[in-house]
Amino acid sequence: MGIFNKKRGNWVVPKGQELTEMDKKILYYQNKGYTVPRRGLILTPGQIEGVRKAGVVNTGILDLVSEKIHAGMTTNEIDKLVYDYTIAHNATPATLNYVADEKSKLIFPKSCCVSINEVVCHGIPSDDEILEEGDIVNVDVTTILNGYYADASRMFIIGKTTPEKEKLVRVAKECLEIGMKVCEKPYVFVGDIGNAIQRHAHANGFSVVRDLCGHGVGLKFHEEPEVVHYGRKGTGMLLVPGMVFTIEPMINMGTWKVFVDSEDGWTVVTDDELPSAQWEHTFVMTENGVEILTY
């Protein structure tokens, strides 16, 4: 939200080009003062097909993790599954040696993120971290294939856990599904998604992380728009056909506040160290609403 200066006019029709119906709709919202995308965020059919193919590999990775994950497994073993499958399919793990920003030079050293219980996201796989009965675990994978990016994560319950954790995992998935339902037609706003997710999480006694969000993806790992999972209807960017983005609500059992582990600079943990859960898909917006590209 608030990425763009609304007065700047992000949507520009090239001189001499006849207005399409999509141009007219976007210009209508822009002239009303809403935040609209720039043309560079609209992928071509060929580019969308490239993301879809990356998504097939990405989904295959998470399917494999689903088959293999178990108590007694190290998170580094999960990372090896991800790396081996990705390379075997002529793709690249996007997180491996990913640089957070040029200033910090902070490098993520693994092929996926594995986040257990109170870890919200960006958990670094390790030989020292062993999955235990009752853990709830998020595995987050992003795949690059032929220059195109696809991003998804799933929750896994190790053995039998508490009813409270089971509910958290279920409600987090429902939040993603509710966000997807908001996008059954194009020309909705990011804030419409966030508002629906926030209301469902709060109705179930949970909170929504505010410091992290979904994002545009496809040609880059992270790009506009920022897809926040809370907020007001009619705010944030207008979502139009051709845009590719993630919805990935992070739902906490306690406070929405989080902190980053100072030891590694990556691991995000709930402030009260109560559990967190997250599900993520990559979507493309079409004239008929969103289509899932990886899950």
Side-chain angles (χ1 to χ4, degrees):
M1 292 168 61
I3 296 171
F4 293 111
N5 179 338
K6 294 180 183 178
K7 295 180 181 179
R8 192 174 67 194
N10 295 302
W11 192 260
V12 178
V13 179
K15 191 173 182 180
Q17 181 173 301
E18 187 174 343
L19 287 179
T20 65
E21 287 303 310
M22 190 165 97
D23 287 328
K24 292 174 185 177
K25 288 178 181 177
I26 295 173
L27 289 171
Y28 168 81
Y29 284 105
Q30 180 166 275
N31 291 336
K32 291 282 186 180
Y34 290 99
T35 304
V36 303
R38 52 186 169 79
R39 282 188 178 273
L41 295 179
I42 312 303
L43 274 62
T44 67
Q47 290 170 330
I48 292 167
E49 184 60 26
V51 180
R52 183 179 285 108
K53 288 177 179 177
V56 170
V57 177
N58 205 72
T59 299
I61 294 167
L62 286 169
D63 286 347
L64 177 64
V65 172
S66 183
E67 292 171 13
K68 300 293 186 181
I69 196 167
H70 63 270
M73 187 180 206
T74 68
T75 54
N76 222 20
E77 288 178 278
I78 296 172
D79 187 73
K80 188 174 189 309
L81 285 176
V82 171
Y83 178 82
D84 288 349
Y85 187 101
T86 307
I87 298 304
H89 288 77
N90 301 310
T92 303
T95 60
L96 185 60
N97 298 320
Y98 174 72
V99 180
D101 63 75
E102 291 302 320
K103 289 183 180 178
S104 69
K105 300 294 184 184
L106 195 61
I107 298 173
F108 194 86
K110 296 292 181 175
S111 299
C112 65
C113 301
V114 183
S115 305
I116 303 173
N117 297 326
E118 73 276 7
V119 177
V120 177
C121 60
H122 304 163
I124 302 174
S126 165
D127 285 327
D128 299 326
E129 196 163 42
I130 301 170
L131 302 185
E132 298 179 357
E133 179 89 7
D135 284 341
I136 58 171
V137 185
N138 178 270
V139 180
D140 191 343
V141 179
T142 306
T143 300
I144 311 170
L145 181 68
N146 299 323
Y148 296 103
Y149 293 73
D151 187 4
S153 79
R154 296 183 198 172
M155 291 298 300
F156 301 97
I157 296 175
I158 307 303
K160 185 172 177 59
T161 193
T162 65
E164 293 80 9
K165 283 185 178 180
E166 283 185 356
K167 180 182 178 183
L168 179 66
V169 171
R170 173 177 58 80
V171 170
K173 189 172 187 180
E174 290 169 356
C175 284
L176 171 59
E177 291 166 348
I178 285 167
M180 181 169 60
K181 189 172 179 61
V182 170
C183 298
E184 285 182 338
K185 58 181 181 179
Y187 305 102
V188 297
F189 293 92
V190 165
D192 300 345
I193 298 170
N195 181 264
I197 288 171
Q198 184 178 29
R199 284 190 290 110
H200 187 67
H202 287 185
N204 283 277
F206 300 135
S207 64
V208 181
V209 173
R210 298 187 174 202
D211 296 342
L212 300 128
C213 60
H215 52 89
V217 69
L219 305 183
K220 297 178 183 177
F221 195 167
H222 300 104
E223 50 190 321
E224 298 161 323
E226 289 187 343
V227 182
V228 296
H229 304 112
Y230 66 97
R232 293 181 293 108
K233 290 183 178 181
T235 62
M237 188 179 288
L238 185 71
L239 299 173
V240 308
M243 293 177 73
V244 177
F245 55 92
T246 70
I247 302 175
E248 49 182 297
M250 289 144 274
I251 309 301
N252 291 354
M253 190 175 287
T255 179
W256 61 266
K257 296 180 180 178
V258 299
F259 67 91
V260 178
D261 187 333
S262 59
E263 288 188 15
D264 62 39
W266 283 103
T267 306
V268 179
V269 183
T270 58
D271 213 41
D272 52 15
E273 299 192 357
L274 289 176
S276 181
Q278 176 194 20
W279 297 79
E280 174 187 13
H281 296 347
T282 292
F283 301 94
V284 58
M285 180 61 81
T286 76
E287 291 287 354
N288 299 308
V290 288
E291 174 191 342
I292 300 170
L293 296 180
T294 185
Y295 57 91

